[in-house]
Amino acid sequence: LLLIVVVVVLALTLSQKADNLKRTFIARCEKFQGYDCQKIWVAFEQAHVGRDPCNVPMEAYDPLFAEAPFKPACNRMMFWSKTKDVVHDFTENRDCFLTLEDTLLGSVLDGLTWCGKKGSSETFSSGCPGWKDCEKNPVRSFWNGASTAFADVACGDVTAMLNGSITTPFSPTSTFASIEVKRFNSMRVESLNVVLVTRKNAVTNCTNASLRNLQEELDDGIKYNCTEVAESQVLDCSSDPEKPCGACW
Ligand code: N1C
């Protein structure tokens, strides 16, 4: 009897997790005005439900991206790599810049894990492949597709916050390097402005070798700038709404 109870409780908690995912999805979605969140959920589901969780291509999310498109915000678009916490601390407090996580789909799925299973019509939120377990897992394909679409609409002066505390701030395996930079189009993008976030024990500056690779990757015609900025200065600017965005660094 005890075994049956344990099994039932376990089954309930597992299935509840997927319900939680839907609740989180809808609740986060409803913070945005003018969208049909049920319809967006259905478009999200169709990308992974019933599929082998290691065989979800990026294109599976095209109907989802069509339902809630990424709108260009010229001169305000912010990209990042290995600086997730500081960049979002900044964008949450100030309206200067917009990251992918500030868009509907980016904010709805940030930090979540999901997958389907062959022969099942459910969404699971545990027992899913990790980022590196297989290339075409649903989470990775979503971020690859979303990063592609977000970088495709980049325009004007674009900013990227990179991490000055690591030896390779522009890492070839990052989403920023492998996808976003390659999508910046000189017809739309005027310049790329790197904000290299440093700490007291900074190991990197703007002369870093990986940043030379970044400049070479850029489409001809896109201007490049790099500024070393102390993390404390970024955080100060986050907490000082009076300070004009242009005076942050
Ligand atoms: O691989 P990264 O950084 O270079 O990816 C960051 C880059 C940003 O400019 C975003 O536009 O790619 C986009 N992006 C996200 O917005 C995002 N939100 C959450 C990429 N990945 C994102 N995640 C998760 O962070 C994702 O699950 C993956 O595992 C990390 C990648 O972070 P990174 O290596 O610091």
Side-chain angles (χ1 to χ4, degrees):
L1 185 70
L2 188 67
L3 192 72
I4 295 174
V5 171
V6 168
V7 169
V8 168
V9 167
L10 207 71
L12 279 177
T13 40
L14 281 182
S15 61
Q16 217 199 350
K17 270 195 172 166
D19 285 350
N20 268 339
L21 183 91
K22 180 169 182 182
R23 257 200 299 278
T24 304
F25 186 108
I26 299 288
R28 288 180 179 180
C29 176
E30 281 173 349
K31 296 212 158 64
F32 292 77
Q33 306 283 306
Y35 292 89
D36 182 342
C37 292
Q38 292 298 331
K39 214 170 157 193
I40 295 172
W41 168 260
V42 171
F44 165 69
E45 272 189 311
Q46 64 74 40
H48 63 269
V49 161
R51 291 191 191 228
D52 171 354
C54 277
N55 197 14
V56 174
M58 211 162 89
E59 294 73 30
Y61 289 97
D62 286 348
L64 177 64
F65 299 144
E67 206 60 61
F70 301 104
K71 299 186 201 103
C74 297
N75 307 322
R76 293 181 56 228
M77 292 175 82
M78 171 69 89
F79 295 82
W80 53 269
S81 192
K82 314 287 187 271
T83 51
K84 194 166 202 261
D85 293 340
V86 61
V87 82
H88 292 128
D89 177 82
F90 189 78
T91 58
E92 269 162 32
N93 288 297
R94 304 287 313 256
D95 281 332
C96 315
F97 297 105
L98 209 77
T99 63
L100 180 49
E101 289 68 32
D102 300 305
T103 68
L104 185 145
L105 291 177
S107 91
V108 160
L109 291 168
D110 193 22
L112 303 184
T113 300
W114 65 91
C115 63
K117 208 182 273 178
K118 260 201 140 95
S120 161
S121 58
E122 277 192 79
T123 294
F124 301 88
S125 55
S126 58
C128 297
W131 189 263
K132 287 178 177 159
D133 289 335
C134 51
E135 193 111 357
K136 290 188 178 176
N137 71 72
V139 175
R140 186 165 174 164
S141 291
F142 168 78
W143 287 111
N144 286 350
S147 301
T148 304
F150 190 61
D152 277 344
V153 298
C155 48
D157 298 322
V158 168
T159 307
M161 248 186 215
L162 304 183
N163 189 333
S165 300
I166 55 179
T167 47
T168 313
F170 184 66
S171 162
T173 57
S174 68
T175 308
F176 179 64
S178 64
I179 297 181
E180 292 172 332
V181 165
K182 293 182 181 359
R183 308 296 298 198
F184 294 156
N185 177 332
S186 63
M187 299 285 279
R188 305 171 52 88
V189 175
E190 193 78 31
S191 69
L192 174 67
N193 300 287
V194 170
V195 173
L196 190 63
V197 182
T198 59
R199 292 187 171 164
K200 276 200 292 289
N201 56 344
V203 295
T204 301
N205 58 33
C206 282
T207 67
N208 178 271
S210 77
L211 295 177
R212 279 200 289 279
N213 300 336
L214 167 53
Q215 291 173 67
E216 277 160 24
E217 279 278 328
L218 282 182
D219 219 0
D220 286 333
I222 300 180
K223 294 188 206 88
Y224 170 86
N225 293 291
C226 176
T227 316
E228 293 151 18
V229 182
E231 183 174 30
S232 56
Q233 191 180 331
V234 178
L235 297 176
D236 283 350
C237 218
S238 306
S239 53
D240 183 1
E242 302 293 311
K243 198 159 186 173
C245 297
C248 283
W249 47 76

